[in-house]
């Protein structure tokens, strides 16, 4: 049964310069799990929204989208409202009401369903997703992962045949993201609901796909099962998308031998077959010498949120050296972000000492700490922007300084070029994509000419290409003498770009070392490449190293 | 009057609630579209949050100014709704008291007046805005004084009401000053932001 | 202002249907505001304090006293200063007579306001915002939905304000220090960022609503509240006692003359019945709570 059939579909926006769609043709069968991918701005969002009549952007269409054999735009609204579910990116903004139970019922209320029916359907769904434990809570009290699960459940309550998800996990941390995507898969497997999903990060979702749809510049490039897609991407110049593939598929792509593995388990088997009788040598760990100058020096710091509360930082000691990119990893709620807020004077620590560039933190008065010294890139970069254009926002940094107009313009342009956002200067900051916004935010704080940068989850919501850009920019900054401390969940990013890694657990740094040493010694908390190869070859950390190893084995 | 103490507290409270009914009913009957009221809910929430954020200066609240700016863009009925809901929601959040209906009415009225004046082009000049901002502080204060008067001063009389208004001149003046300052600081840029959203919603609707 | 802390576990009157709990507070607060009469005020204040002590939790109860007692003193003092009626002049203050009647009236009306404020703290514990919206939604469903959304936004915006303030501080704009005008300016700027952020999110919210079929059809209103037999019984009791209140007001049992000279409150049989009925209404929350606590003790 064909759930969705798109024939010769084209779309032109009435206004704006977003990517239009040209000659789209594809079918999705009932019960399939379809992953739509492509570089940002390729039109995947437009395509997904076009399938849901209530969200169809304003513009002209040609061709046809059929939903179970009928033109989706001529179907009655209550049918498409219920039968085509849509989950968006932002977990907060999708929530309408203030109570979990009310949010669940919202869709059915809109369709005029009677209370007893709503009651039993809500009960069923709450049980299915394990929501019953927080059923009576306020929506504002939920975690990001819970909010997004609530959004999914609210859509599921309307008993959709098809669910469309537009980058649903990009604002969640990796653990919550994985849980969420597992729930999507569960719906697909257990209820047979058809899924169409886009994601920046394909690591998780790629293995679930029945078929992958690759888009480029508003057109469909390929529509293939995941194994064949991996092969296609490896054989053809498609840098950005190839880099977004999960590690096993990429290692396969580097040699194109055997059957493409999609999960780590499959990857281990595949790698075993590739190694076969050969006995590859493990690369030797080079001795790692840290610079001696301590830019951040934390000694035996304790922190509690209030008197009598559990300490969040317990006897925390570590240092960040000049010119280093230093990463702090660790689970959710371990206190990593709290540690950042203590270092940046948002919160006062109870005991111990913190020195920034050799000076005790408490000796920095007012905003002195932030004058040509420390700068913080917040998780929500929106909180940095005030004005209607990015240019004004960047120039604003100099508002109270005595610098000539020409000089300001020059400085802004220089930093914009460096971040590769010079073409976006006249855009509204809110119209930027996640990756662009993050770069713009970084540009803004770089104008403060800081010596020390604190970054909180710098790669959140970024696709593979933006991550690579960000990594390169950070390395350049470090090379020019800046010191960087970042808190992240992104193991792969950290392995690839940092000079020093630390594992934060139970309020202090449990282990630290160079990324090579750190990740090859860890057995669970480590990169995909390491997990795939460690039983045969040691000290392989990044995907690139893995690919190189595979090639050497041919 | 001679037949025992008349109590105006409850009567006036019922009256002020009844006075709001037509405004709210009107909105209810219109079956408003989401795009018409979502920005209002946002502005009502911001007005309520602003009230809490500036708690560090007594009586100095941006709420009235935020309601006025919203009403200037979305019109008198929407202004009333924003004002009333902002008062109700912030009291629902921070704790309800007998003053809730009065605050709803006072802020609702400020929103309504702002919408009406702006509709007739009377809030275009900075001077007009300043005058209206000052008026807001006193409209609000004097309406709440009716409650204080009716609530606990025997047999609400003009004399006692006027003496109440004299005692509240300074707090009302601070509120008026706050409204003027915030109107001058925010009206242009927020007006633009609201119009941008209004336009965005307008496009979505068509 | 801090967000009111809701009781962790629901108990007593909270477990009844919103119509019952809301109706109860309408009845009891109306009664409180209706009767400027020493016995009624005494009954109301006593019951209010008892209920608040039992259902609000110690911390909130003490906080409400901290607000209520100064207010009581203020009103009791203010009344004789604003009001110069009454036959028994005690002394002159700034050439104005201060009368015994005005002083007593002040104390009674201050007691009334004190009781009303305490009842409202109980209301806030029992009739939580979702219950209020439920009641409101039965009359004005569209407006109720707007309120519900505003309520879900407030905590979200409060959290965002903190994020924005921290970020702005780290680029050198601190709204917690400097001159008053600087702080106001910096605060206004934080609100400006907040408004852009919130309005941008609002567009997504509108999408999410439309995606779930809002706007085209006749909406139904769902609630998790069920009206059971015990709700019916309790509501009948409340209505009955409220009727007694109205009767007391109409017959004049609930009013008392203060001016020109105080007439002592009546204590005839029928008046005593009214006092008892009023006390019965006032004691309901405390009684339910007490009964429940005794049950738990027995079960142990």
């Amino acid at each position: 049964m064909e759930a969705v059939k798109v024939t010769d579909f084209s779309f032109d926006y009435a206004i704006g310069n977003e990517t239009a769609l040209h000659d789209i043709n594809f079918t999705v069968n009932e019960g399939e799990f379809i992953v739509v991918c492509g570089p940002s701005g390729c039109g995947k969002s437009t395509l997904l929204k076009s399938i849901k009549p209530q969200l169809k952007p304003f513009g002209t269409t040609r061709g046809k989208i059929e939903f179970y054999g009928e033109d989706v735009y001529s179907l009655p609204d209550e049918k498409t409202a219920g039968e085509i579910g849509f989950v968006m990116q932002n977990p907060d903004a999708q929530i309408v009401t203030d109570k979990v139970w009310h949010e669940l019922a919202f869709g059915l209320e809109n369709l005029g369903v009677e209370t007893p029916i709503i009651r039993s359907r809500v009960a069923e769904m709450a049980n299915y997703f394990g929501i019953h434990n927080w059923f009576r809570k306020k929506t504002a009290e939920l975690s990001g992962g819970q909010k997004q699960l609530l959004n999914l459940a609210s859509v599921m309550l309307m008993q959709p045949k098809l669910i469309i998800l537009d980058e649903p996990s990009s604002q969640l941390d990796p653990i919550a993201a994985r849980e969420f995507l597992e729930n999507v898969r569960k719906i697909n497997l257990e209820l047979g609901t058809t899924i169409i999903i886009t994601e920046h990060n394909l690591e998780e979702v790629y293995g679930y796909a029945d078929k992958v749809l690759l888009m480029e510049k508003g057109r469909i490039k390929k529509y293939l099962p995941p194994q064949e897609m991996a092969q296609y991407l490896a054989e053809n110049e498609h840098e950005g998308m190839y880099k977004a593939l999960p590690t096993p598929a990429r290692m396969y792509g580097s040699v194109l031998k055997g059957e493409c593995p999609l999960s780590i388990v499959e990857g281990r088997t595949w790698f075993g077959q590739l190694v076969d009788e050969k006995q590859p040598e493990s690369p030797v760990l080079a001795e790692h010498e840290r610079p001696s100058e301590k830019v951040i020096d934390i000694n035996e710091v304790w922190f509690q949120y209030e008197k009598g509360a559990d300490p969040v930082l317990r006897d925390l000691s570590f240092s960040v050296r000049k010119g280093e990119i230093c990463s702090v990893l660790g689970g959710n709620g371990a206190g990593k972000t709290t540690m950042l807020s203590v270092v940046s004077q948002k919160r006062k620590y109870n005991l111990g000492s913190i020195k920034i560039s050799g000076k005790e933190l408490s000796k920095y008065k007012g905003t002195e700490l932030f004058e040509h010294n420390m700068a913080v890139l917040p998780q929500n970069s929106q909180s940095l922007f005030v004005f209607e254009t990015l240019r004004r926002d960047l120039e604003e940094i100099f508002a109270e300084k005595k610098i000539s107009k020409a000089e300001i313009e020059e400085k802004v342009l220089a930093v914009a070029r460096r971040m590769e956002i010079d073409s976006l200067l006249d855009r509204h900051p809110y119209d930027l994509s996640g990756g662009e916004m993050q770069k713009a935010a970084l540009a803004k704080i770089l104008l403060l000419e800081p010596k020390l940068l604190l970054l909180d989850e710098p790669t959140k919501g970024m696709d593979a290409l933006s991550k690579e850009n960000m990594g390169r920019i950070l390395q350049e900054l470090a090379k020019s003498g800046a010191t960087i401390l970042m808190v992240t969940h992104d193991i792969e990013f950290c392995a690839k770009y940092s000079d020093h890694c630390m594992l934060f657990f139970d309020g202090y740094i449990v282990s630290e070392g160079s990324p090579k040493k750190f990740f090859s010694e860890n057995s669970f908390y480590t990169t995909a490449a390491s997990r795939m190869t460690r039983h045969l070859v040691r000290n392989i950390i990044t995907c690139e190293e893995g690919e190189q190893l595979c090639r050497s084995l041919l | 009057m001679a037949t025992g103490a008349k109590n105006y507290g409850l009567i006036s409270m019922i009256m002020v609630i009844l006075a709001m009914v037509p405004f709210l009913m009107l909105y209810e009957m219109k079956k408003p579209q989401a795009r018409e009221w979502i920005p209002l809910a946002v502005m009502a929430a911001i007005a309520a949050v602003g009230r809490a954020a500036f708690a560090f200066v007594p009586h100095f609240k941006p709420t009235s100014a935020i309601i006025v700016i919203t009403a200037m863009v979305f019109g008198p009925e929407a202004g009333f709704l924003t004002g009333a809901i902002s008062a109700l929601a912030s009291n629902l959040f921070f704790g309800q008291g007998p003053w809730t209906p009065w605050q709803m009415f006072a802020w609702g009225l400020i929103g309504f007046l702002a919408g009406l004046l702006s509709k007739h082009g009377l809030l275009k000049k900075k001077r007009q805005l300043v005058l209206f901002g000052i008026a807001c502080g006193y409209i609000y204060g004097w309406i709440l004084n009716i409650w204080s008067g009716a609530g606990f001063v025997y047999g609400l009389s003009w004399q006692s009401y006027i003496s109440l208004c004299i005692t509240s001149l300074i707090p009302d003046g601070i509120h008026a000053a706050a409204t003027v300052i915030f109107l001058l600081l925010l009206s242009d840029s927020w007006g633009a932001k609201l119009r941008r959203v209004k336009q965005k919603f307008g496009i979505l609707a068509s | 202002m801090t967000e009111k802390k809701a009781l962790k576990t629901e108990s007593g009157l909270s477990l009844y249907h919103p119509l019952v709990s809301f109706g109860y507070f309408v009845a009891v607060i109306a009664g409180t505001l209706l009767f400027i009469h020493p016995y009624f005020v005494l009954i109301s204040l006593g019951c209010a304090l008892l209920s608040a002590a039992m259902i609000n939790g110690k911390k909130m109860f003490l906080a409400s006293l901290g607000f209520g007692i100064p207010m009581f003193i203020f009103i009791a003092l203010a009344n004789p200063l604003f009001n110069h009626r009454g036959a028994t002049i005690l002394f002159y203050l700034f050439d104005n007579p201060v009368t015994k009647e005005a002083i007593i009236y002040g104390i009674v009306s201050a007691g009334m306001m004190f009781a009303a404020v305490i009842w409202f703290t109980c209301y806030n514990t029992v009739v939580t915002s979702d219950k209020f919206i439920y009641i409101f939604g039965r009359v004005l469903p569209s407006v109720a939905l707007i309120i519900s959304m505003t309520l879900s936004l407030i905590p979200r915006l409060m959290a965002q304000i903190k994020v924005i303030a921290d970020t702005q501080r780290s680029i050198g704009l601190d709204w917690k220090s400097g001159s008053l005008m600087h702080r106001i300016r910096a605060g206004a700027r934080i609100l400006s960022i907040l408004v852009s952020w919130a309005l941008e999110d609002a567009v997504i919210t509108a999408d999410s609503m439309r995606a779930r079929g809002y706007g085209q059809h006749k909406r139904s209103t769902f609630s998790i509240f069920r009206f059971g037999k015990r709700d019916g019984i309790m509501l009948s009791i409340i209505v009955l006692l409220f009727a007694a209140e109205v009767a007391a007001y109409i017959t004049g049992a609930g009013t008392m003359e203060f001016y020109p000279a105080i007439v002592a409150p009546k204590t005839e049989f029928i008046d005593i019945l009214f006092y008892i009925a009023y006390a019965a209404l006032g004691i309901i929350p405390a009684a339910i709570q007490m009964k429940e606590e005794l049950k738990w003790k027995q079960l142990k």
Side-chain angles (χ1 to χ4, degrees):
Chain A
M1 183 89 199
E2 282 165 355
V4 177
K5 185 176 183 193
V6 182
T7 26
D8 300 328
F9 184 77
S10 295
F11 178 83
D12 280 308
Y13 275 94
I15 43 163
N17 44 4
E18 271 179 89
T19 318
L21 301 173
H22 313 282
D23 309 316
I24 304 286
N25 283 292
F26 70 100
T27 32
V28 178
N29 291 322
E30 184 166 45
E32 276 188 322
F33 194 113
I34 305 296
V35 172
V36 180
C37 63
S40 43
C42 69
K44 39 185 201 299
S45 260
T46 311
L47 176 62
L48 295 197
K49 283 184 177 160
S50 300
I51 303 174
K52 171 96 181 161
Q54 287 82 2
L55 298 180
K56 188 186 85 72
F58 190 47
T60 52
T61 57
R62 260 166 294 131
K64 209 172 183 184
I65 299 180
E66 282 166 285
F67 179 64
Y68 285 90
E70 286 178 85
D71 183 1
V72 79
Y73 297 132
S74 56
L75 281 171
D77 184 72
E78 59 258 40
K79 191 171 161 73
T80 51
E83 291 186 357
I84 305 177
F86 202 102
V87 177
M88 291 172 261
Q89 192 175 55
N90 186 325
D92 286 294
Q94 283 177 80
I95 294 175
V96 180
T97 63
D98 63 332
K99 290 277 180 167
V100 170
W101 61 263
H102 197 183
E103 190 64 23
L104 284 170
F106 181 76
L108 294 178
E109 283 184 325
N110 291 336
L111 299 184
V113 178
E114 291 303 315
T115 295
I117 301 171
I118 299 185
R119 191 161 280 157
S120 65
R121 278 217 225 162
V122 163
E124 257 188 277
M125 205 48 70
N127 271 303
Y128 187 77
F129 286 110
I131 286 175
H132 50 284
N133 295 322
W134 33 280
F135 179 66
R136 281 172 184 266
K137 268 200 175 180
K138 290 181 182 167
T139 49
E141 289 165 2
L142 306 180
S143 71
Q146 286 175 324
K147 281 178 187 160
Q148 200 63 318
L149 186 61
L150 173 62
N151 289 323
L152 178 64
S154 319
V155 163
M156 279 307 291
L157 259 163
M158 300 173 78
Q159 301 180 332
K161 291 181 179 160
L162 164 69
I163 297 192
I164 303 169
L165 303 105
D166 192 0
E167 297 182 2
S169 77
S170 67
Q171 311 240 330
L172 308 179
D173 68 71
I175 294 126
R178 177 181 299 169
E179 268 174 34
F180 179 81
L181 294 170
E182 276 166 5
N183 270 306
V184 175
R185 178 164 164 83
K186 185 172 137 184
I187 291 169
N188 176 249
L189 290 180
E190 293 179 4
L191 307 174
T193 314
T194 313
I195 307 285
I196 301 180
I197 187 172
T198 63
E199 275 293 346
H200 272 327
N201 191 345
L202 297 177
E203 194 80 41
E204 211 57 56
V205 86
Y206 197 80
Y208 300 160
D210 292 309
K211 271 178 158 182
V212 179
L213 190 134
L214 174 68
M215 288 188 72
E216 197 183 52
K217 292 180 186 142
R219 290 172 199 278
I220 292 186
K221 191 90 179 164
K222 280 283 167 194
Y223 187 39
L224 295 169
Q227 290 87 352
E228 289 170 39
M229 183 60 88
Q231 189 181 345
Y232 170 80
L233 287 173
E235 283 168 350
N236 292 276
E237 284 293 306
H238 218 302
E239 270 293 293
M241 283 334 290
Y242 177 64
K243 291 231 161 92
L245 288 178
T247 308
R250 277 179 65 185
M251 292 191 24
Y252 157 83
S254 65
V255 288
L256 292 171
K257 269 190 83 173
E259 179 111 338
C260 173
L262 295 176
S263 66
I264 301 283
V265 181
E266 285 174 25
R268 281 171 75 100
T269 319
W270 174 85
F271 184 65
Q273 286 162 356
L274 187 71
V275 171
D276 198 23
E277 297 292 288
K278 295 166 220 131
Q279 284 181 330
E281 265 183 50
S282 307
V284 193
L285 280 185
E287 269 308 307
H288 170 72
E289 190 78 35
R290 296 183 75 187
S292 57
E293 192 185 334
K294 292 176 176 174
V295 178
I296 301 179
D297 189 9
I298 300 183
N299 270 303
E300 292 163 25
V301 164
W302 289 76
F303 173 79
Q304 298 162 284
Y305 275 99
E306 52 190 275
K307 209 176 141 196
D310 251 356
V312 185
L313 306 181
R314 294 171 186 266
D315 203 22
L316 173 71
S317 304
F318 71 89
S319 65
V320 181
R321 312 292 172 89
K322 189 168 166 48
E324 264 187 338
I325 301 177
C326 206
S327 310
V328 177
L329 293 146
N332 246 358
K336 300 189 307 282
T337 299
T338 309
M339 182 272 288
L340 271 195
S341 62
V342 166
V343 173
S344 60
Q345 269 188 345
K346 277 178 208 164
R347 299 187 181 279
K348 289 203 174 74
Y349 51 99
N350 312 86
L351 280 174
S353 104
I354 298 181
K355 281 188 185 140
I356 306 291
S357 308
K359 185 174 165 185
E360 195 65 43
L361 188 62
S362 53
K363 299 257 164 66
Y364 287 95
K365 300 287 176 223
T367 53
E368 189 191 343
L369 179 61
F370 303 106
E371 279 151 24
H372 299 300
N373 195 348
M374 181 193 288
V376 187
L377 182 71
Q379 248 194 62
N380 296 297
S381 24
Q382 277 157 312
S383 56
L384 272 171
F385 299 110
V386 197
F387 295 108
E388 306 290 305
T389 65
L390 182 54
R391 186 189 304 276
R392 271 196 72 191
D393 245 309
L394 294 181
E395 288 175 348
E396 184 239 0
I397 288 284
F398 302 102
E400 282 166 34
K401 302 196 172 84
K402 289 189 187 75
I403 307 180
S404 74
K405 186 102 175 73
E407 206 176 327
I408 292 174
E409 276 170 19
E410 195 180 309
K411 282 193 171 188
V412 165
L413 200 63
V415 81
R417 288 229 175 90
R418 189 168 181 189
M419 296 292 129
E420 296 161 354
I421 50 167
D422 43 328
S423 60
L424 307 172
L425 280 175
D426 292 309
R427 293 270 283 276
H428 196 289
Y430 281 80
D431 292 338
L432 304 179
S433 75
E436 290 167 345
M437 174 101 90
Q438 200 73 318
K439 280 195 271 182
L442 193 56
K444 185 158 181 176
I445 63 168
L446 284 182
L447 286 172
L448 295 161
E449 293 166 8
K451 293 185 218 129
L452 168 63
L453 269 170
L454 306 189
L455 314 175
D456 196 355
E457 295 290 348
T459 57
K460 194 173 171 183
M462 280 190 173
D463 59 18
L465 214 56
S466 310
K467 271 188 201 177
E468 203 161 287
N469 266 331
M470 178 62 102
R472 211 190 53 240
I473 289 165
L474 293 184
Q475 283 181 330
E476 279 169 18
L477 284 170
K479 211 170 276 170
S480 64
T483 307
I484 295 164
L485 171 65
M486 68 175 170
V487 156
T488 182
H489 279 110
D490 194 334
I491 295 179
E492 311 290 333
F493 184 78
C494 177
K496 200 164 164 191
Y497 296 105
S498 48
D499 301 310
H500 193 73
C501 299
M502 298 186 261
L503 181 64
F504 192 95
F505 177 75
D506 195 33
Y508 67 106
I509 301 294
V510 182
S511 60
E512 57 183 312
S514 70
K516 277 229 153 206
K517 178 169 168 289
F518 182 82
F519 288 114
S520 57
E521 281 174 3
N522 287 351
S523 34
F524 302 103
Y525 209 83
T526 187
T527 59
S530 164
R531 279 187 279 160
M532 248 179 82
T533 56
R534 59 184 307 129
H535 59 305
L536 298 167
V537 184
R538 295 210 347 266
N539 302 341
I540 298 297
I541 307 300
T542 63
C543 190
E544 284 72 12
E545 288 167 351
E547 289 174 293
Q548 211 172 7
L549 173 70
C550 288
R551 268 184 236 118
S552 73
L553 286 169
L554 275 182
Chain B
M1 269 298 170
T3 56
K6 276 272 183 323
N7 185 346
Y8 292 97
L10 187 66
I11 297 166
S12 62
M13 200 177 202
I14 291 170
M15 272 171 44
V16 78
I17 291 172
L18 287 180
M20 283 186 283
V21 167
F23 287 102
L24 298 178
M25 281 305 277
L26 210 74
Y27 213 79
E28 187 68 40
M29 311 262 264
K30 261 175 55 185
K31 291 269 164 247
Q33 288 289 309
R35 68 195 149 88
E36 292 172 48
W37 64 257
I38 288 180
L40 307 187
V42 172
M43 295 313 283
I46 290 199
V49 168
R51 192 175 158 196
F54 280 90
F56 65 90
V57 199
H59 305 288
F60 196 90
K61 36 190 169 241
T63 313
S64 304
I66 295 172
I67 292 164
V68 170
I69 294 168
T70 313
M72 282 164 65
V73 176
F74 290 94
E77 289 94 359
F80 186 90
L81 197 73
T82 311
I85 285 184
S86 174
L88 179 61
S90 82
N91 286 338
L92 275 170
F93 196 79
F94 298 107
Q96 214 65 258
W99 47 80
T100 302
W102 299 91
Q103 285 180 339
M104 285 174 71
F105 184 73
W107 269 321
L109 189 68
I110 286 174
F112 185 78
L113 288 177
L116 209 62
L117 288 173
S118 164
K119 208 172 163 183
H120 293 96
L122 289 171
L123 288 179
K124 270 195 193 129
K125 293 187 191 117
K126 282 273 169 291
R127 183 165 39 100
Q128 293 164 328
L129 211 55
V130 168
L131 282 176
F132 185 66
I134 294 170
C136 284
Y138 289 97
I139 292 171
Y140 179 87
W142 291 345
I143 288 174
L144 271 118
N145 282 343
I146 304 178
W147 157 246
S148 320
F152 55 81
V153 179
Y154 171 76
L156 188 65
S157 67
W158 279 112
Q159 289 94 320
S160 61
Y161 179 67
I162 287 167
S163 52
L164 265 175
C165 288
I166 290 169
T167 42
S168 75
L169 270 181
I170 292 169
D172 292 343
I174 298 175
H175 183 192
T179 310
V180 171
I181 291 173
F182 283 113
L183 276 177
L184 292 178
L185 277 178
L186 305 177
S187 69
D188 288 342
S189 67
W190 286 33
K193 286 178 209 280
L194 282 172
R195 274 186 290 275
R196 172 178 142 98
V197 162
K198 203 179 168 186
Q199 218 171 24
K200 240 180 159 165
F201 275 99
I203 291 166
L204 289 173
S206 44
Chain C
M1 274 204 273
T2 48
E3 187 189 354
K4 61 175 193 239
K5 287 268 182 311
L7 215 59
K8 275 210 187 74
T9 48
E10 285 188 84
S11 62
L13 197 56
S14 302
L15 292 176
Y16 282 86
H17 192 271
L19 268 179
V20 177
S21 47
F22 187 78
Y24 175 77
F25 283 104
V26 168
V28 82
I29 291 171
T32 306
L33 294 175
L34 212 52
F35 304 124
I36 305 194
H37 181 293
Y39 292 172
F40 278 104
V41 167
L42 215 58
I43 293 169
S44 178
L45 185 58
C47 291
L49 288 172
L50 185 64
S51 305
M54 292 193 65
I55 64 181
N56 283 354
K58 200 174 157 195
K59 210 170 156 190
M60 226 174 90
F61 177 62
L62 291 179
S64 61
L65 288 187
F67 174 74
I69 292 173
M71 186 200 68
F72 175 84
I73 295 169
F74 174 78
I75 297 174
L77 288 180
N79 201 66
L81 297 181
F82 281 114
N83 242 305
H84 311 298
R85 302 177 60 177
T88 328
I89 294 166
L90 296 178
F91 56 90
Y92 284 84
L93 196 70
F94 310 120
D95 295 335
N96 281 317
V98 173
T99 69
K100 180 181 146 201
E101 287 77 15
I103 290 177
I104 291 177
Y105 181 84
I107 293 172
V108 173
S109 66
M112 179 195 92
M113 283 305 292
F114 190 12
V117 165
I118 299 295
W119 278 125
F120 264 102
T121 63
C122 299
Y123 168 92
N124 286 331
T125 309
V126 175
V127 187
T128 44
S129 59
D130 53 326
K131 293 183 188 167
F132 175 81
I133 289 171
Y134 165 74
I135 303 276
F136 204 90
R138 311 211 67 172
V139 198
L140 299 166
S142 306
V143 181
L145 188 62
I146 307 181
I147 298 171
S148 172
M149 188 173 165
T150 308
L151 275 179
S152 76
L153 276 168
I154 291 177
R156 216 158 88 196
L157 297 183
M158 302 273 276
Q160 281 175 343
I161 274 206
K162 245 195 86 53
V163 172
I164 296 169
D166 282 343
T167 307
Q168 291 296 313
R169 202 178 90 85
S170 72
I171 57 170
L173 289 156
D174 188 9
W175 80 303
K176 283 189 177 145
S177 60
S179 69
L180 189 64
M181 201 53 215
H182 166 82
R183 292 186 65 185
I184 290 167
R185 226 182 257 280
R189 186 190 157 85
I190 290 171
L191 283 182
S192 288
I193 300 176
L194 183 70
V195 91
S196 310
W197 193 341
L199 287 173
E200 216 62 36
D201 275 7
V203 179
I204 300 171
T205 310
D207 275 350
S208 154
M209 292 175 67
R210 239 156 358 113
R212 285 186 278 161
Y214 178 80
Q216 262 79 22
H217 326 278
K218 188 159 171 45
R219 249 178 85 81
S220 63
T221 309
F222 171 73
S223 83
I224 49 169
F225 306 112
R226 282 167 302 147
F227 195 89
K229 202 169 134 197
R230 65 198 279 270
D231 296 306
I233 295 170
M234 185 53 73
L235 192 60
S236 319
I237 296 174
I238 292 166
V239 169
L240 217 66
L241 294 174
F242 183 66
E245 247 180 60
V246 175
Y249 187 73
I250 292 170
T251 58
T255 44
M256 190 179 115
E257 282 180 38
F258 286 88
Y259 303 109
I262 291 172
V263 179
K266 290 178 272 185
T267 48
E268 280 164 39
F269 180 64
I270 182 81
D271 301 304
I272 292 181
L273 276 187
F274 283 136
Y275 299 149
I276 293 173
Y278 190 54
L281 180 71
I283 206 81
I284 286 175
I288 302 174
Q289 196 76 23
M290 198 92 83
K291 198 178 133 203
E292 221 168 79
E293 269 162 37
L294 281 177
K295 265 261 166 59
W296 281 112
K297 272 208 181 111
Q298 280 172 1
L299 284 174
K300 258 183 195 164

